Amino acid sequence: MQKKGTILSGMRPTGALHLGNYFGALENWVRLQDEYNCFFFVADYHALTTGYDDTEYYKDNITNLLVDWLAAGLDPEKCTFFLQSSIKEHAELHLLFSMNLPLSWLYRCPTYKDQLNQLKEKNITTYGFLGYPCLMATDILMYKADYVPVGEDQLPHIEMTREIARRFNYLYNSEVFPEPQPLLTKAKVLPGLDGRKMSKSYNNTIALSDSPEVVRKKIMSMVTDPERIRKTDPGHPEVCSVFSYHKLFSEGQITEIEQDCRKGEIGCVACKKKLADSVAELMTPLYERRQEWLKHTDDIKDIITEGNKKARVIAEKTMDEVRKVMRIDWI
Ligand code: TRP
Ligand code: SF4
């Protein structure tokens, strides 16, 4: 099939993926792999920008991320997986971009200020962290990606990538780098178990690595409409997280659930049991594939080794072009 262009995206290996990540990104990637020439990579250098002092779980996190991808249905026959730190060209291009990247662009990036505020307990007033968007531009431009599927929070980085490409092309009177477009998906937003944003720091997640029993327990302990004491009390699904979950997991039964709740014809326990069944239908096969891949981590290393080879060929070619137009190809 004729592909619609090149896509590149990455995730930082910072721990178990949760259902919010699945609906927010991974499910979409699985769909894109058939239509585009896709590169998906583990952004382990990016993980170091904030986690440079704690690398104890660094390797496990990479393995777990890849297991999540494979279990979710990303197929290394269809797309290229690679590991950022295996392709040394990323370090070189990052260095070259840093020569002409104005500090003001980096300081005014909204994600920079946000993260400094949010991660107060860490010292990330570092050179590496300030350069986060430069490193991200390197990932994207190295493979001359047309589209970058990302969440809305990453848009300033894509915009800076476009500016970095433009500046490079202008300075060296070249057309080495095309300007990538963000690919914003109508991301399905799944709130956390307590109704807040699903996030590890709130301890309200369902991880893809949670066993079916754990998932069921977590669902059964979700808070529902506080005004419902007896089953016959009329409910308000719009304030209930269980109902937000049903919207994603029980599409076919959603009107029925809503009506039964409003009329007080279904109890919250029964409603949660229904949800647990729908969630299990999606997650159990994924969990089983996960367990299988965990027994075959050598195969995962082979997949990355193969992907790295493909990525490296492109990265080497881009760097040849870069050195040539910059005239740093003396020998
Ligand atoms: N910053 C991205 C995130 O946190 C991860 C990332 C690194 C990325 N390099 C990238 C995403 C290049 C897309 C393209 O989600
Ligand atoms: Fe929520 Fe379902 Fe209870 Fe209604 S019946 S309040 S949707 S758990």
Side-chain angles (χ1 to χ4, degrees):
M1 191 181 80
Q2 180 73 23
K3 302 274 178 169
K4 290 199 254 172
T6 298
I7 273 189
L8 174 131
S9 200
M11 286 186 197
R12 283 168 298 154
T14 48
L17 288 188
H18 53 64
L19 274 180
N21 304 126
Y22 178 79
F23 285 112
L26 207 44
E27 193 196 30
N28 187 37
W29 288 12
V30 173
R31 202 168 41 75
L32 293 169
Q33 66 180 345
D34 291 313
E35 296 168 41
Y36 295 86
N37 178 26
C38 290
F39 291 84
F40 296 122
F41 74 101
V42 179
D44 60 334
Y45 280 153
H46 276 100
L48 289 177
T49 63
T50 53
Y52 56 84
D53 56 346
D54 182 13
T55 52
E56 189 183 346
Y57 299 107
Y58 193 71
K59 289 186 193 174
D60 287 345
N61 285 347
I62 294 172
T63 309
N64 273 308
L65 183 62
L66 289 164
V67 168
D68 284 337
W69 287 5
L70 290 161
L74 282 185
D75 179 352
E77 299 283 320
K78 294 183 183 167
C79 50
T80 305
F81 289 8
F82 69 91
L83 179 64
Q84 187 184 29
S85 66
S86 300
I87 315 295
K88 305 301 176 204
E89 283 76 6
H90 285 244
E92 183 184 0
L93 188 58
H94 176 259
L95 176 87
L96 295 177
F97 283 157
S98 79
M99 298 300 168
N100 64 55
L101 179 53
L103 277 174
S104 60
W105 293 13
L106 295 169
Y107 280 124
R108 71 162 187 245
C109 184
T111 55
Y112 180 65
K113 294 177 220 159
D114 282 0
Q115 293 285 88
L116 280 189
N117 272 328
Q118 273 179 33
L119 302 175
K120 280 225 170 74
E121 73 291 356
K122 288 190 181 166
N123 177 2
I124 50 167
T125 50
T126 54
Y127 180 50
F129 184 65
L130 181 65
Y132 189 108
C134 177
L135 187 57
M136 190 159 153
T138 301
D139 305 330
I140 298 168
L141 297 176
M142 185 75 84
Y143 305 91
K144 305 188 181 186
D146 300 300
Y147 305 102
V148 187
V150 282
E152 221 162 307
D153 61 314
Q154 298 291 312
L155 286 181
H157 297 158
I158 309 292
E159 195 45 45
M160 200 183 307
T161 301
R162 294 164 58 85
E163 284 164 6
I164 290 173
R166 235 176 283 149
R167 185 166 170 84
F168 182 95
N169 290 344
Y170 167 76
L171 285 170
Y172 304 109
N173 194 17
S174 70
E175 284 175 12
V176 175
F177 296 118
E179 289 180 36
Q181 305 277 352
L183 201 66
L184 274 181
T185 31
K186 307 137 244 127
K188 299 181 192 162
V189 180
L190 188 73
L193 290 163
D194 56 2
R196 291 187 289 174
K197 180 179 173 343
M198 189 179 278
S199 160
K200 262 182 292 178
S201 45
Y202 294 151
N203 205 5
N204 64 359
T205 67
I206 297 180
L208 299 186
S209 54
D210 283 342
S211 69
E213 301 76 59
V214 169
V215 175
R216 193 166 284 270
K217 273 202 199 110
K218 286 186 174 177
I219 291 175
M220 294 313 291
S221 63
M222 282 171 84
V223 175
T224 65
D225 176 0
E227 286 182 26
R228 290 199 80 193
I229 296 161
R230 270 172 257 104
K231 178 188 150 190
T232 46
D233 294 337
H236 307 85
E238 65 282 0
V239 301
C240 175
S241 326
V242 176
F243 188 69
S244 339
Y245 276 55
H246 270 303
K247 282 195 213 153
L248 282 183
F249 287 98
S250 325
E251 265 178 310
Q253 307 171 56
I254 196 71
T255 8
E256 184 192 325
I257 296 170
E258 177 166 8
Q259 283 170 0
D260 288 354
C261 172
R262 286 194 198 285
K263 287 192 258 165
E265 283 174 5
I266 184 174
C268 291
V269 173
C271 186
K272 287 191 212 175
K273 278 199 180 136
K274 227 186 229 284
L275 176 64
D277 291 342
S278 307
V279 174
E281 209 173 300
L282 180 115
M283 286 191 77
T284 306
L286 202 146
Y287 181 77
E288 282 167 4
R289 285 197 294 270
R290 231 187 158 278
Q291 296 309 101
E292 245 347 271
W293 277 111
L294 279 174
K295 290 185 216 145
H296 298 100
T297 45
D298 283 351
D299 292 348
I300 301 180
K301 288 210 166 138
D302 290 344
I303 290 170
I304 284 293
T305 307
E306 280 311 301
N308 281 348
K309 278 190 204 151
K310 286 195 221 158
R312 198 170 289 122
V313 170
I314 301 173
E316 283 172 357
K317 186 160 168 288
T318 302
M319 289 317 296
D320 283 344
E321 293 172 41
V322 165
R323 290 188 213 100
K324 185 154 178 273
V325 299
M326 289 182 75
R327 301 192 181 88
I328 54 169
D329 57 342
W330 188 74
I331 200 161

